[in-house]
mmCIF file of all heavy atoms in Angstrom:
data_model
loop_
_atom_site.group_PDB
_atom_site.id
_atom_site.type_symbol
_atom_site.label_atom_id
_atom_site.label_comp_id
_atom_site.label_asym_id
_atom_site.label_seq_id
_atom_site.Cartn_x
_atom_site.Cartn_y
_atom_site.Cartn_z
ATOM 1 N N ILE C 1423 108.043 111.304 90.895
ATOM 2 C CA ILE C 1423 107.638 111.621 92.172
ATOM 3 C C ILE C 1423 106.390 112.765 92.059
ATOM 4 O O ILE C 1423 106.571 113.678 91.349
ATOM 5 C CB ILE C 1423 108.930 112.330 92.960
ATOM 6 C CG1 ILE C 1423 109.987 111.246 93.154
ATOM 7 C CG2 ILE C 1423 108.352 112.596 94.344
ATOM 8 C CD1 ILE C 1423 111.187 111.864 93.726
ATOM 9 N N ARG C 1424 105.381 112.493 92.792
ATOM 10 C CA ARG C 1424 104.239 113.319 92.699
ATOM 11 C C ARG C 1424 103.940 113.960 94.145
ATOM 12 O O ARG C 1424 104.016 113.279 95.107
ATOM 13 C CB ARG C 1424 103.006 112.625 92.260
ATOM 14 C CG ARG C 1424 103.088 111.904 90.921
ATOM 15 C CD ARG C 1424 101.779 111.285 90.575
ATOM 16 N NE ARG C 1424 101.404 110.228 91.402
ATOM 17 C CZ ARG C 1424 100.205 109.665 91.585
ATOM 18 N NH1 ARG C 1424 99.178 110.140 90.832
ATOM 19 N NH2 ARG C 1424 99.924 108.663 92.349
ATOM 20 N N ASN C 1425 103.684 115.290 94.094
ATOM 21 C CA ASN C 1425 103.382 115.943 95.284
ATOM 22 C C ASN C 1425 101.826 115.969 95.546
ATOM 23 O O ASN C 1425 101.034 115.895 94.681
ATOM 24 C CB ASN C 1425 103.807 117.427 95.211
ATOM 25 C CG ASN C 1425 105.349 117.707 95.005
ATOM 26 O OD1 ASN C 1425 105.848 117.295 94.037
ATOM 27 N ND2 ASN C 1425 105.911 118.265 95.925
ATOM 28 N N VAL C 1426 101.581 116.040 96.745
ATOM 29 C CA VAL C 1426 100.170 116.306 97.088
ATOM 30 C C VAL C 1426 99.938 117.789 96.806
ATOM 31 O O VAL C 1426 100.815 118.681 97.111
ATOM 32 C CB VAL C 1426 99.837 116.111 98.665
ATOM 33 C CG1 VAL C 1426 98.557 116.526 99.095
ATOM 34 C CG2 VAL C 1426 100.082 114.543 98.938
ATOM 35 N N THR C 1427 98.797 118.228 96.221
ATOM 36 C CA THR C 1427 98.607 119.666 95.846
ATOM 37 C C THR C 1427 97.416 120.157 96.737
ATOM 38 O O THR C 1427 96.544 119.491 97.356
ATOM 39 C CB THR C 1427 98.126 119.690 94.381
ATOM 40 O OG1 THR C 1427 96.908 118.964 94.236
ATOM 41 C CG2 THR C 1427 99.174 119.242 93.600
ATOM 42 N N ARG C 1428 97.481 121.428 97.017
ATOM 43 C CA ARG C 1428 96.454 122.148 97.661
ATOM 44 C C ARG C 1428 96.164 123.492 97.017
ATOM 45 O O ARG C 1428 97.023 124.247 96.837
ATOM 46 C CB ARG C 1428 96.887 122.417 99.188
ATOM 47 C CG ARG C 1428 95.894 123.038 100.007
ATOM 48 C CD ARG C 1428 96.385 123.325 101.481
ATOM 49 N NE ARG C 1428 96.867 122.230 102.200
ATOM 50 C CZ ARG C 1428 98.090 122.102 102.681
ATOM 51 N NH1 ARG C 1428 98.950 123.028 102.381
ATOM 52 N NH2 ARG C 1428 98.572 120.920 103.220
ATOM 53 N N GLU C 1429 94.986 123.690 96.578
ATOM 54 C CA GLU C 1429 94.527 124.988 96.103
ATOM 55 C C GLU C 1429 95.367 125.277 94.744
ATOM 56 O O GLU C 1429 95.925 126.489 94.552
ATOM 57 C CB GLU C 1429 94.526 126.030 97.002
ATOM 58 C CG GLU C 1429 93.573 125.922 98.116
ATOM 59 C CD GLU C 1429 93.708 127.059 99.200
ATOM 60 O OE1 GLU C 1429 94.629 127.938 99.104
ATOM 61 O OE2 GLU C 1429 92.810 127.206 100.119
ATOM 62 N N GLY C 1430 95.670 124.275 93.985
ATOM 63 C CA GLY C 1430 96.417 124.310 92.785
ATOM 64 C C GLY C 1430 97.889 124.541 92.875
ATOM 65 O O GLY C 1430 98.639 124.726 91.896
ATOM 66 N N ARG C 1431 98.415 124.364 94.020
ATOM 67 C CA ARG C 1431 99.865 124.514 94.306
ATOM 68 C C ARG C 1431 100.392 123.180 94.922
ATOM 69 O O ARG C 1431 99.762 122.540 95.768
ATOM 70 C CB ARG C 1431 100.172 125.654 95.197
ATOM 71 C CG ARG C 1431 99.935 126.989 94.432
ATOM 72 C CD ARG C 1431 100.267 128.284 95.239
ATOM 73 N NE ARG C 1431 99.922 129.471 94.653
ATOM 74 C CZ ARG C 1431 100.579 130.122 93.683
ATOM 75 N NH1 ARG C 1431 101.790 129.657 93.397
ATOM 76 N NH2 ARG C 1431 100.184 131.177 93.093
ATOM 77 N N LEU C 1432 101.639 122.954 94.712
ATOM 78 C CA LEU C 1432 102.316 121.728 95.118
ATOM 79 C C LEU C 1432 102.608 122.055 96.713
ATOM 80 O O LEU C 1432 102.953 123.160 97.203
ATOM 81 C CB LEU C 1432 103.672 121.532 94.559
ATOM 82 C CG LEU C 1432 103.542 121.397 93.035
ATOM 83 C CD1 LEU C 1432 105.067 120.998 92.466
ATOM 84 C CD2 LEU C 1432 102.538 120.222 92.620
ATOM 85 N N THR C 1433 102.465 120.936 97.478
ATOM 86 C CA THR C 1433 102.889 120.932 98.963
ATOM 87 C C THR C 1433 104.135 120.225 99.146
ATOM 88 O O THR C 1433 104.649 119.555 98.120
ATOM 89 C CB THR C 1433 101.795 120.428 99.840
ATOM 90 O OG1 THR C 1433 101.783 119.052 99.666
ATOM 91 C CG2 THR C 1433 100.482 120.983 99.522
ATOM 92 N N ALA C 1434 104.715 120.283 100.256
ATOM 93 C CA ALA C 1434 105.978 119.419 100.591
ATOM 94 C C ALA C 1434 105.722 117.952 100.932
ATOM 95 O O ALA C 1434 106.457 117.222 101.226
ATOM 96 C CB ALA C 1434 106.767 120.060 101.816
ATOM 97 N N ARG C 1435 104.314 117.660 100.884
ATOM 98 C CA ARG C 1435 103.996 116.138 101.086
ATOM 99 C C ARG C 1435 103.921 115.481 99.769
ATOM 100 O O ARG C 1435 103.533 116.076 98.835
ATOM 101 C CB ARG C 1435 102.654 116.178 101.865
ATOM 102 C CG ARG C 1435 102.524 116.950 103.252
ATOM 103 C CD ARG C 1435 103.278 116.162 104.301
ATOM 104 N NE ARG C 1435 104.650 115.978 104.251
ATOM 105 C CZ ARG C 1435 105.640 116.866 104.486
ATOM 106 N NH1 ARG C 1435 105.160 118.151 104.947
ATOM 107 N NH2 ARG C 1435 106.804 116.703 104.447
ATOM 108 N N LEU C 1436 104.128 114.207 99.902
ATOM 109 C CA LEU C 1436 104.260 113.397 98.636
ATOM 110 C C LEU C 1436 103.051 112.336 98.547
ATOM 111 O O LEU C 1436 102.643 111.823 99.495
ATOM 112 C CB LEU C 1436 105.560 112.584 98.642
ATOM 113 C CG LEU C 1436 106.890 113.586 98.702
ATOM 114 C CD1 LEU C 1436 108.017 112.764 98.897
ATOM 115 C CD2 LEU C 1436 106.980 114.536 97.583
ATOM 116 N N LYS C 1437 102.697 111.895 97.352
ATOM 117 C CA LYS C 1437 101.660 110.992 97.195
ATOM 118 C C LYS C 1437 102.332 109.620 97.433
ATOM 119 O O LYS C 1437 103.466 109.365 96.940
ATOM 120 C CB LYS C 1437 101.138 111.104 95.780
ATOM 121 C CG LYS C 1437 100.227 112.333 95.512
ATOM 122 C CD LYS C 1437 99.392 112.409 94.374
ATOM 123 C CE LYS C 1437 98.462 113.465 94.159
ATOM 124 N NZ LYS C 1437 97.572 113.504 92.959
ATOM 125 N N GLY C 1438 101.439 108.739 97.910
ATOM 126 C CA GLY C 1438 101.948 107.442 98.239
ATOM 127 C C GLY C 1438 101.524 106.422 97.066
ATOM 128 O O GLY C 1438 101.242 106.817 95.983
ATOM 129 N N CYS C 1439 101.681 105.087 97.375
ATOM 130 C CA CYS C 1439 101.508 104.098 96.439
ATOM 131 C C CYS C 1439 101.187 102.826 97.268
ATOM 132 O O CYS C 1439 101.829 102.736 98.327
ATOM 133 C CB CYS C 1439 102.776 103.801 95.532
ATOM 134 S SG CYS C 1439 102.457 102.668 94.299
ATOM 135 N N GLY C 1440 100.399 101.933 96.786
ATOM 136 C CA GLY C 1440 100.137 100.741 97.449
ATOM 137 C C GLY C 1440 99.411 100.922 98.755
ATOM 138 O O GLY C 1440 98.355 101.667 98.848
ATOM 139 N N SER C 1441 100.070 100.480 99.835
ATOM 140 C CA SER C 1441 99.544 100.585 101.240
ATOM 141 C C SER C 1441 99.901 101.957 101.854
ATOM 142 O O SER C 1441 99.538 102.271 102.935
ATOM 143 C CB SER C 1441 99.972 99.501 102.170
ATOM 144 O OG SER C 1441 101.389 99.494 102.220
ATOM 145 N N VAL C 1442 100.819 102.684 101.158
ATOM 146 C CA VAL C 1442 101.384 104.013 101.637
ATOM 147 C C VAL C 1442 100.345 105.108 101.320
ATOM 148 O O VAL C 1442 100.204 105.427 100.166
ATOM 149 C CB VAL C 1442 102.762 104.289 101.189
ATOM 150 C CG1 VAL C 1442 103.300 105.629 101.621
ATOM 151 C CG2 VAL C 1442 103.698 103.153 101.600
ATOM 152 N N GLU C 1443 99.876 105.706 102.325
ATOM 153 C CA GLU C 1443 98.981 106.924 102.077
ATOM 154 C C GLU C 1443 99.592 108.002 101.598
ATOM 155 O O GLU C 1443 100.859 108.381 101.859
ATOM 156 C CB GLU C 1443 98.255 107.144 103.366
ATOM 157 C CG GLU C 1443 97.268 105.897 103.855
ATOM 158 C CD GLU C 1443 96.551 106.239 105.135
ATOM 159 O OE1 GLU C 1443 96.687 107.441 105.632
ATOM 160 O OE2 GLU C 1443 95.740 105.384 105.526
ATOM 161 N N ASP C 1444 98.839 108.949 100.947
ATOM 162 C CA ASP C 1444 99.242 110.254 100.431
ATOM 163 C C ASP C 1444 99.683 110.997 101.803
ATOM 164 O O ASP C 1444 99.007 111.110 102.747
ATOM 165 C CB ASP C 1444 98.298 111.119 99.814
ATOM 166 C CG ASP C 1444 97.912 110.481 98.399
ATOM 167 O OD1 ASP C 1444 98.615 109.586 97.924
ATOM 168 O OD2 ASP C 1444 96.846 110.942 97.761
ATOM 169 N N GLY C 1445 100.954 111.658 101.734
ATOM 170 C CA GLY C 1445 101.425 112.436 102.916
ATOM 171 C C GLY C 1445 102.224 111.735 103.871
ATOM 172 O O GLY C 1445 102.822 112.255 104.682
ATOM 173 N N ALA C 1446 102.344 110.416 103.745
ATOM 174 C CA ALA C 1446 103.054 109.631 104.620
ATOM 175 C C ALA C 1446 104.562 109.814 104.215
ATOM 176 O O ALA C 1446 105.503 109.602 105.132
ATOM 177 C CB ALA C 1446 102.785 108.222 104.566
ATOM 178 N N ASP C 1447 104.983 110.176 102.930
ATOM 179 C CA ASP C 1447 106.155 110.503 102.469
ATOM 180 C C ASP C 1447 107.230 109.373 102.659
ATOM 181 O O ASP C 1447 108.396 109.638 102.803
ATOM 182 C CB ASP C 1447 106.826 111.704 103.233
ATOM 183 C CG ASP C 1447 105.885 113.021 102.968
ATOM 184 O OD1 ASP C 1447 104.977 112.995 102.185
ATOM 185 O OD2 ASP C 1447 106.153 113.935 103.750
ATOM 186 N N SER C 1448 106.811 108.142 102.663
ATOM 187 C CA SER C 1448 107.658 107.004 102.912
ATOM 188 C C SER C 1448 108.000 106.086 101.752
ATOM 189 O O SER C 1448 108.639 105.089 101.770
ATOM 190 C CB SER C 1448 106.988 106.063 103.929
ATOM 191 O OG SER C 1448 105.821 105.568 103.602
ATOM 192 N N MET C 1449 107.395 106.451 100.543
ATOM 193 C CA MET C 1449 107.642 105.838 99.216
ATOM 194 C C MET C 1449 107.693 106.705 98.088
ATOM 195 O O MET C 1449 106.662 107.416 97.890
ATOM 196 C CB MET C 1449 106.783 104.585 99.053
ATOM 197 C CG MET C 1449 107.047 103.660 97.762
ATOM 198 S SD MET C 1449 105.744 102.587 97.340
ATOM 199 C CE MET C 1449 105.753 101.534 98.704
ATOM 200 N N ILE C 1450 108.681 106.699 97.245
ATOM 201 C CA ILE C 1450 108.779 107.360 96.065
ATOM 202 C C ILE C 1450 109.072 106.316 94.890
ATOM 203 O O ILE C 1450 109.188 105.145 95.176
ATOM 204 C CB ILE C 1450 109.699 108.592 96.107
ATOM 205 C CG1 ILE C 1450 111.154 108.062 96.386
ATOM 206 C CG2 ILE C 1450 109.391 109.588 97.078
ATOM 207 C CD1 ILE C 1450 112.229 109.097 96.147
ATOM 208 N N THR C 1451 109.172 106.890 93.682
ATOM 209 C CA THR C 1451 109.549 105.956 92.565
ATOM 210 C C THR C 1451 111.037 105.607 92.588
ATOM 211 O O THR C 1451 111.861 106.218 91.899
ATOM 212 C CB THR C 1451 109.207 106.663 91.207
ATOM 213 O OG1 THR C 1451 109.572 108.109 91.372
ATOM 214 C CG2 THR C 1451 107.716 106.527 90.930
ATOM 215 N N TYR C 1452 111.361 104.658 93.597
ATOM 216 C CA TYR C 1452 112.760 104.445 93.923
ATOM 217 C C TYR C 1452 112.787 102.985 94.351
ATOM 218 O O TYR C 1452 112.127 102.578 95.255
ATOM 219 C CB TYR C 1452 113.337 105.300 94.895
ATOM 220 C CG TYR C 1452 114.729 105.088 95.445
ATOM 221 C CD1 TYR C 1452 115.748 105.620 94.765
ATOM 222 C CD2 TYR C 1452 115.027 104.301 96.541
ATOM 223 C CE1 TYR C 1452 116.981 105.399 95.204
ATOM 224 C CE2 TYR C 1452 116.324 104.036 96.960
ATOM 225 C CZ TYR C 1452 117.366 104.483 96.275
ATOM 226 O OH TYR C 1452 118.537 104.365 96.542
ATOM 227 N N ILE C 1453 113.581 102.041 93.513
ATOM 228 C CA ILE C 1453 113.662 100.656 93.831
ATOM 229 C C ILE C 1453 112.322 99.998 93.907
ATOM 230 O O ILE C 1453 111.600 100.019 92.915
ATOM 231 C CB ILE C 1453 114.512 100.388 95.044
ATOM 232 C CG1 ILE C 1453 116.093 101.049 94.876
ATOM 233 C CG2 ILE C 1453 114.908 98.813 95.130
ATOM 234 C CD1 ILE C 1453 116.911 100.768 96.064
ATOM 235 N N ASP C 1454 111.967 99.599 95.060
ATOM 236 C CA ASP C 1454 110.713 98.827 95.130
ATOM 237 C C ASP C 1454 109.489 99.858 94.893
ATOM 238 O O ASP C 1454 108.356 99.382 94.516
ATOM 239 C CB ASP C 1454 110.479 98.219 96.558
ATOM 240 C CG ASP C 1454 111.442 97.092 96.807
ATOM 241 O OD1 ASP C 1454 111.986 96.623 95.812
ATOM 242 O OD2 ASP C 1454 111.618 96.733 97.992
ATOM 243 N N GLY C 1455 109.680 101.093 95.150
ATOM 244 C CA GLY C 1455 108.681 102.089 94.798
ATOM 245 C C GLY C 1455 108.342 102.199 93.386
ATOM 246 O O GLY C 1455 107.273 102.634 92.951
ATOM 247 N N LYS C 1456 109.435 101.934 92.445
ATOM 248 C CA LYS C 1456 109.207 102.098 91.079
ATOM 249 C C LYS C 1456 108.187 100.830 90.729
ATOM 250 O O LYS C 1456 107.419 100.958 89.886
ATOM 251 C CB LYS C 1456 110.491 101.962 90.270
ATOM 252 C CG LYS C 1456 111.275 103.352 90.261
ATOM 253 C CD LYS C 1456 112.282 103.323 89.250
ATOM 254 C CE LYS C 1456 112.947 104.796 89.114
ATOM 255 N NZ LYS C 1456 113.918 104.850 88.093
ATOM 256 N N ARG C 1457 108.571 99.685 91.273
ATOM 257 C CA ARG C 1457 107.682 98.476 90.994
ATOM 258 C C ARG C 1457 106.169 98.855 91.373
ATOM 259 O O ARG C 1457 105.340 98.543 90.556
ATOM 260 C CB ARG C 1457 108.168 97.350 91.758
ATOM 261 C CG ARG C 1457 107.086 96.181 91.825
ATOM 262 C CD ARG C 1457 107.588 94.986 92.701
ATOM 263 N NE ARG C 1457 108.757 94.249 92.017
ATOM 264 C CZ ARG C 1457 109.714 93.654 92.699
ATOM 265 N NH1 ARG C 1457 109.821 93.655 94.105
ATOM 266 N NH2 ARG C 1457 110.652 93.105 92.092
ATOM 267 N N CYS C 1458 106.102 99.526 92.536
ATOM 268 C CA CYS C 1458 104.694 99.811 93.016
ATOM 269 C C CYS C 1458 104.042 100.746 92.048
ATOM 270 O O CYS C 1458 102.799 100.565 91.730
ATOM 271 C CB CYS C 1458 104.791 100.423 94.384
ATOM 272 S SG CYS C 1458 103.157 100.817 95.146
ATOM 273 N N ALA C 1459 104.789 101.780 91.560
ATOM 274 C CA ALA C 1459 104.234 102.717 90.675
ATOM 275 C C ALA C 1459 103.702 102.162 89.318
ATOM 276 O O ALA C 1459 102.707 102.482 88.777
ATOM 277 C CB ALA C 1459 105.188 103.810 90.374
ATOM 278 N N ILE C 1460 104.660 101.238 88.820
ATOM 279 C CA ILE C 1460 104.221 100.581 87.582
ATOM 280 C C ILE C 1460 102.965 99.748 87.843
ATOM 281 O O ILE C 1460 102.032 99.743 87.018
ATOM 282 C CB ILE C 1460 105.478 99.657 87.194
ATOM 283 C CG1 ILE C 1460 106.580 100.614 86.643
ATOM 284 C CG2 ILE C 1460 105.054 98.724 86.056
ATOM 285 C CD1 ILE C 1460 107.903 99.784 86.456
ATOM 286 N N ASN C 1461 102.967 98.897 88.922
ATOM 287 C CA ASN C 1461 101.737 98.021 89.205
ATOM 288 C C ASN C 1461 100.614 98.772 89.255
ATOM 289 O O ASN C 1461 99.439 98.516 88.889
ATOM 290 C CB ASN C 1461 101.990 97.129 90.415
ATOM 291 C CG ASN C 1461 103.104 96.049 90.159
ATOM 292 O OD1 ASN C 1461 103.515 95.817 88.969
ATOM 293 N ND2 ASN C 1461 103.661 95.556 91.278
ATOM 294 N N GLU C 1462 100.634 99.837 90.017
ATOM 295 C CA GLU C 1462 99.456 100.641 90.441
ATOM 296 C C GLU C 1462 98.955 101.547 89.226
ATOM 297 O O GLU C 1462 97.814 101.546 88.766
ATOM 298 C CB GLU C 1462 99.654 101.595 91.688
ATOM 299 C CG GLU C 1462 98.453 102.378 92.047
ATOM 300 C CD GLU C 1462 98.790 103.126 93.426
ATOM 301 O OE1 GLU C 1462 98.586 102.440 94.431
ATOM 302 O OE2 GLU C 1462 99.051 104.268 93.365
ATOM 303 N N ARG C 1463 99.848 102.349 88.726
ATOM 304 C CA ARG C 1463 99.478 103.372 87.765
ATOM 305 C C ARG C 1463 99.365 102.847 86.224
ATOM 306 O O ARG C 1463 98.804 103.443 85.424
ATOM 307 C CB ARG C 1463 100.458 104.564 87.866
ATOM 308 C CG ARG C 1463 100.345 105.313 89.182
ATOM 309 C CD ARG C 1463 101.218 106.462 89.336
ATOM 310 N NE ARG C 1463 100.811 107.440 88.405
ATOM 311 C CZ ARG C 1463 101.524 108.559 88.201
ATOM 312 N NH1 ARG C 1463 102.639 108.759 88.845
ATOM 313 N NH2 ARG C 1463 101.131 109.395 87.369
ATOM 314 N N ILE C 1464 100.069 101.645 85.932
ATOM 315 C CA ILE C 1464 100.106 101.208 84.631
ATOM 316 C C ILE C 1464 99.121 99.972 84.644
ATOM 317 O O ILE C 1464 98.239 99.865 83.764
ATOM 318 C CB ILE C 1464 101.407 100.880 84.067
ATOM 319 C CG1 ILE C 1464 102.327 102.174 84.175
ATOM 320 C CG2 ILE C 1464 101.329 100.389 82.653
ATOM 321 C CD1 ILE C 1464 103.741 101.863 83.675
ATOM 322 N N LEU C 1465 99.386 99.019 85.481
ATOM 323 C CA LEU C 1465 98.842 97.812 85.479
ATOM 324 C C LEU C 1465 97.370 97.698 86.245
ATOM 325 O O LEU C 1465 96.549 96.803 86.076
ATOM 326 C CB LEU C 1465 99.533 96.632 86.140
ATOM 327 C CG LEU C 1465 100.878 96.514 85.518
ATOM 328 C CD1 LEU C 1465 101.666 95.232 86.028
ATOM 329 C CD2 LEU C 1465 100.817 96.265 83.990
ATOM 330 N N GLY C 1466 97.184 98.832 86.987
ATOM 331 C CA GLY C 1466 95.889 98.978 87.644
ATOM 332 C C GLY C 1466 95.709 98.030 88.913
ATOM 333 O O GLY C 1466 94.604 97.847 89.411
ATOM 334 N N VAL C 1467 96.753 97.591 89.561
ATOM 335 C CA VAL C 1467 96.840 96.924 90.751
ATOM 336 C C VAL C 1467 96.607 97.942 91.905
ATOM 337 O O VAL C 1467 97.478 98.840 92.014
ATOM 338 C CB VAL C 1467 98.029 95.996 90.948
ATOM 339 C CG1 VAL C 1467 97.996 95.233 92.219
ATOM 340 C CG2 VAL C 1467 98.234 95.160 89.712
ATOM 341 N N ARG C 1468 95.784 97.634 92.825
ATOM 342 C CA ARG C 1468 95.433 98.561 94.054
ATOM 343 C C ARG C 1468 95.842 97.915 95.273
ATOM 344 O O ARG C 1468 95.990 96.761 95.522
ATOM 345 C CB ARG C 1468 93.996 98.894 93.996
ATOM 346 C CG ARG C 1468 93.552 99.497 92.758
ATOM 347 C CD ARG C 1468 94.078 100.781 92.489
ATOM 348 N NE ARG C 1468 93.457 101.409 91.302
ATOM 349 C CZ ARG C 1468 94.406 102.057 90.394
ATOM 350 N NH1 ARG C 1468 95.538 102.132 90.578
ATOM 351 N NH2 ARG C 1468 93.850 102.570 89.302
ATOM 352 N N GLY C 1469 96.088 98.792 96.220
ATOM 353 C CA GLY C 1469 96.321 98.442 97.663
ATOM 354 C C GLY C 1469 97.770 97.738 97.761
ATOM 355 O O GLY C 1469 98.619 97.925 96.951
ATOM 356 N N LYS C 1470 97.968 97.075 98.900
ATOM 357 C CA LYS C 1470 99.207 96.408 99.133
ATOM 358 C C LYS C 1470 99.639 95.461 98.020
ATOM 359 O O LYS C 1470 100.952 95.278 97.874
ATOM 360 C CB LYS C 1470 99.092 95.635 100.510
ATOM 361 C CG LYS C 1470 100.427 95.186 100.899
ATOM 362 C CD LYS C 1470 100.409 94.707 102.426
ATOM 363 C CE LYS C 1470 101.864 94.299 102.972
ATOM 364 N NZ LYS C 1470 102.730 95.526 103.011
#
């Protein structure tokens, strides 16, 4: 799980994945969110 940062510090908002924007806080590395993280951050697949 990755936080959005501001001025070098973590915020309570979370980074998104796929079609989920940073700060929407609706997807983490959990069930389908793990699939998204692998596809995006390892395989280089972008967007939805």
Side-chain angles (χ1 to χ4, degrees):
I1423 301 174
R1424 298 186 297 164
N1425 297 65
V1426 174
T1427 59
R1428 184 184 303 122
E1429 297 179 352
R1431 295 182 181 273
L1432 305 181
T1433 72
R1435 304 281 68 82
L1436 306 175
K1437 290 192 175 183
C1439 182
S1441 63
V1442 177
E1443 296 182 355
D1444 292 351
D1447 302 346
S1448 61
M1449 183 190 291
I1450 60 170
T1451 42
Y1452 180 82
I1453 309 185
D1454 292 346
K1456 284 194 173 184
R1457 170 184 287 152
C1458 186
I1460 291 167
N1461 290 344
E1462 182 174 277
R1463 297 182 61 189
I1464 303 175
L1465 304 182
V1467 182
R1468 301 295 179 222
K1470 193 171 182 61

